[in-house]
Amino acid sequence: MADRYMIRKGGVVEGAKVPELAKLRIASDAALAEEKEKALAAKEKELAEQREALKKRTAEYEKEYADHKQQLIDLRREAKLGGNFFVEPEAKLLFVIRIVGIIKLAPKPRKVLQLLRLRQLHNGVFLKVNKPILQMLKLVQPYVTYGYPSLKTVRELLYKRGYAKVNKQRIPISDNSVISTSLGEKQGLFGMEDLVHEI
């Protein structure tokens, strides 16, 4: 039972005669109040467990990011000592922002912008780097600007401007509960750091 439902407090004066229906109502209210308390306690416990698990996963992610960064540094140093060049790994993620409105826009670029989910001026989306996406970006080159975001940029964008689509509605990600209700069971994402790591 949700905590927002109010249960009446039936106060009876000591020694007063109480009708049978009132006794039944007081008993049912007491049972409901007890059920509500148990449900609230269970919910609190579940939320605490989820929070602890998220903290643990976040620490693992941070370690993973640090290890990856250190590995790149070691490879660069190794290449420099050997007198070679180090080729940076190719980025897997793009961030694309639309910079031109809809006036005097040809039909083909308009369709491509729709496919890229860039329907409005200053809309931004994360995209995977693959051949079809890069071909699409060539078609809409004058209307968009794009780049390869770092981990810090991804995190800041999601925390500041992140929106989720839940039940066909665009909802700002202001709480981990928004993520866990829509992506918890299906994808195993229960918080913002899980989402950052997935992206």
Side-chain angles (χ1 to χ4, degrees):
M1 183 177 288
D3 53 345
R4 67 179 178 272
Y5 296 121
M6 194 179 87
I7 297 167
R8 287 182 303 236
K9 303 272 191 287
V12 179
V13 182
E14 278 295 322
K17 286 187 177 180
V18 182
E20 199 61 37
L21 279 174
K23 279 183 185 175
L24 286 172
R25 194 189 73 228
I26 290 167
S28 71
D29 284 350
L32 281 172
E34 190 179 327
E35 186 186 329
K36 179 181 172 182
E37 279 180 26
K38 282 181 185 173
L40 279 173
K43 190 177 176 184
E44 285 288 323
K45 189 179 176 189
E46 187 186 337
L47 283 173
E49 286 172 3
Q50 269 189 3
R51 205 173 294 121
E52 282 301 314
L54 185 63
K55 277 183 189 175
K56 200 178 284 184
R57 280 198 307 275
T58 303
E60 288 171 14
Y61 296 150
E62 289 299 327
K63 187 179 182 305
E64 185 185 323
Y65 300 145
D67 290 347
H68 180 68
K69 196 174 180 182
Q70 189 59 46
Q71 184 186 6
L72 284 176
I73 290 169
D74 292 344
L75 287 170
R76 282 190 200 101
R77 284 180 181 157
E78 200 177 296
K80 192 174 182 182
L81 284 173
N84 299 322
F85 293 107
F86 176 68
V87 180
E88 295 289 333
E90 284 188 21
K92 298 174 186 170
L93 185 70
L94 271 170
F95 186 69
V96 185
I97 299 176
R98 182 168 175 171
I99 55 171
V100 173
I102 57 169
I103 298 169
K104 292 183 181 175
L105 196 62
K108 199 168 187 178
R110 182 179 292 166
K111 183 66 180 172
V112 171
L113 288 169
Q114 279 180 358
L115 291 171
L116 294 175
R117 304 188 312 272
L118 296 169
R119 295 170 190 275
Q120 272 184 320
L121 186 63
H122 305 308
N123 270 15
V125 289
F126 288 110
L127 297 170
K128 273 184 183 176
V129 177
N130 53 30
K131 197 173 179 186
I133 293 289
L134 292 174
Q135 293 291 337
M136 284 177 163
L137 285 175
K138 277 183 187 171
L139 283 171
V140 293
Q141 191 89 39
Y143 313 112
V144 297
T145 182
Y146 59 92
Y148 305 105
S150 65
L151 173 68
K152 180 175 179 268
T153 315
V154 171
R155 187 176 282 142
E156 282 178 0
L157 277 167
L158 283 179
Y159 273 104
K160 191 175 180 184
R161 297 279 177 172
Y163 281 85
K165 205 164 192 182
V166 182
N167 297 333
K168 297 181 181 177
Q169 291 179 322
R170 190 170 174 263
I171 298 171
I173 304 172
S174 57
D175 192 10
N176 283 340
S177 62
V178 175
I179 298 169
S180 61
T181 51
S182 55
L183 296 171
E185 294 298 318
K186 288 184 251 176
Q187 307 291 334
L189 304 175
F190 293 98
M192 191 63 106
E193 287 302 321
D194 287 341
L195 199 60
V196 169
H197 181 260
E198 195 65 25
I199 289 175

